[in-house]
Amino acid sequence: MGFLAWIVVGLIAGWATGKIMGGPGKGVLMDIIVGLVGALVGGWLMSLLGFSAQGGIIYTTLVAIGGAVLLTWIYRKVTKSG
């Protein structure tokens, strides 16, 4: 995947995480960052579970959303903000 594709995946994953987890929006840049970090976390977790990282753009986006949701949930628990 190219750089632009990763930005789009990050944006979609960050936006979807905001909708799933609720709360105030943080803006486009923060959505991209949350989505990209979520993709790293989700990809790492999926590899621990034995799933392949060769799933295409839809698989990557779903993994990024899952990772971003988990990351947001943990952040909220640690900071008691939700």
Side-chain angles (χ1 to χ4, degrees):
M1 252 185 350
F3 178 75
L4 185 58
W6 277 109
I7 297 298
V8 171
V9 166
L11 180 60
I12 292 169
W15 175 83
T17 299
K19 296 298 178 191
I20 292 168
M21 298 298 290
K26 302 278 192 235
V28 173
L29 182 60
M30 195 53 121
D31 281 350
I32 293 170
I33 292 169
V34 167
L36 291 176
V37 174
L40 293 173
V41 170
W44 177 72
L45 289 174
M46 294 303 275
S47 69
L48 286 179
L49 295 172
F51 290 94
S52 170
Q54 304 291 332
I57 192 89
I58 294 173
Y59 173 80
T60 301
T61 303
L62 293 174
V63 168
I65 291 169
V69 166
L70 178 63
L71 210 70
T72 302
W73 180 78
I74 291 170
Y75 174 79
R76 288 183 180 176
K77 292 298 178 191
V78 168
T79 62
K80 311 264 191 277
S81 64

